[in-house]
Amino acid sequence: MVSPSLTKLVFVACFVLFTFSDKLVAEESDKVQLYLYYESLCPGCQMFIVDGLVKFFDSDLDTITDVKLVPFGNAKVSDNMTVTCQHGEEECKLNAFEACAIKILTNPKSQYTFIRCVENDTEHFQQECFQGFGDEKDVNDCYNSDLSKKLILENAKQTMSLKPKHVFVPWVTLNGKPLYDKLDDLVSQVCNTYKGKAPLPKQCNPSALSEKKTTSKLQFSYANGAIKY
């Protein structure tokens, strides 16, 4: 027969575990939702991915930010579900390949590290970017199957459902609100958007935000085909 004291102990332990788990979920939901809508082979997207987003993964900013990458950009989908890309067939292939990598590599930092590697050298990524991941077969299997088309069509639906509609890429939203071309002070905007209970990372300190940073001007690729800086 189980003693009343043991029953009470088990109940308290379960209650603490439930409360702690619930707090973890709440903290996760408090993170700033940073979505990047982009397309491969877009110079501005490549620059933003390689040089702009890296600060969110080589610092503590990922403790308050949930970064999602959505490859599709300014591509079009015809009535028969044919996808046409702004930078041609090669972009379509890379968009699909990166969509598969995001599907297979479920860890956000792994997703970003892989995509950054690809966009940094789109010609030789097969030889370089899979090192350390060990998921090359799974990603290639996805790309060579109907799943890659399914993923791209899902990204198309997500991109084309944006309100307000995206005008160019790279297109960044914080908690669903677009930043338009105001991407130079992205860290400051994320820090100001975060309303959770976790302490802000040191990158959000006024002294860190006030430091002058040299940034290259981004090139934006518009949905109508224009390119502007």
Side-chain angles (χ1 to χ4, degrees), residues 48 56 121 136 215:
F48 184 74
F56 286 89
D121 186 358
E136 183 172 4
T215 56

Side-chain angles (χ1 to χ4, degrees), residues 55-100:
K55 61 178 69 75
F56 286 89
F57 293 97
D58 65 1
S59 70
D60 293 332
L61 285 167
D62 63 343
T63 62
I64 66 167
T65 315
D66 186 14
V67 178
K68 301 290 187 184
L69 305 173
V70 186
F72 180 77
N74 297 328
K76 307 293 183 185
V77 181
S78 68
D79 293 339
N80 65 357
M81 299 292 109
T82 298
V83 179
T84 305
C85 295
Q86 192 168 38
H87 298 87
E89 185 59 28
E90 189 62 24
E91 179 205 312
C92 282
K93 291 178 181 178
L94 288 168
N95 285 346
F97 195 85
E98 292 180 8
C100 281

Side-chain angles (χ1 to χ4, degrees), residues 34-39 42 44-45 48 68-70 73-74 158-159 161-174 176-183 218-223:
L34 191 164
Y35 276 67
L36 169 63
Y37 298 86
Y38 75 100
E39 61 193 23
C42 156
C45 299
F48 184 74
K68 301 290 187 184
L69 305 173
V70 186
N74 297 328
Q158 184 176 348
T159 302
S161 298
L162 286 169
K163 294 182 180 179
K165 292 184 177 297
H166 90 283
V167 181
F168 49 73
V169 288
W171 186 260
V172 179
T173 65
L174 294 185
K177 297 180 180 180
L179 301 185
Y180 298 96
D181 60 350
K182 311 300 183 185
L183 302 182
L218 277 179
Q219 172 181 302
F220 296 97
S221 295
Y222 280 68

Side-chain angles (χ1 to χ4, degrees), residues 104-122:
I104 302 300
L105 304 172
T106 55
N107 178 274
K109 187 169 185 177
S110 297
Q111 293 172 348
Y112 169 72
T113 302
F114 182 83
I115 300 302
R116 183 175 189 263
C117 181
V118 174
E119 291 303 320
N120 195 44
D121 186 358
T122 54

Side-chain angles (χ1 to χ4, degrees), residues 131-196:
Q131 295 180 17
F133 291 111
D135 295 283
E136 183 172 4
K137 182 180 184 304
D138 290 338
V139 175
N140 281 320
D141 286 348
C142 168
Y143 173 73
N144 292 315
S145 71
D146 293 337
L147 179 56
S148 61
K149 179 70 172 289
K150 179 176 180 289
L151 294 173
I152 281 297
L153 291 177
E154 288 175 357
N155 287 354
K157 182 178 180 180
Q158 184 176 348
T159 302
M160 292 187 289
S161 298
L162 286 169
K163 294 182 180 179
K165 292 184 177 297
H166 90 283
V167 181
F168 49 73
V169 288
W171 186 260
V172 179
T173 65
L174 294 185
N175 291 346
K177 297 180 180 180
L179 301 185
Y180 298 96
D181 60 350
K182 311 300 183 185
L183 302 182
D184 290 342
D185 61 343
L186 183 58
V187 172
S188 175
Q189 294 188 74
V190 167
C191 294
N192 291 331
T193 301
Y194 180 68
K195 305 301 180 186

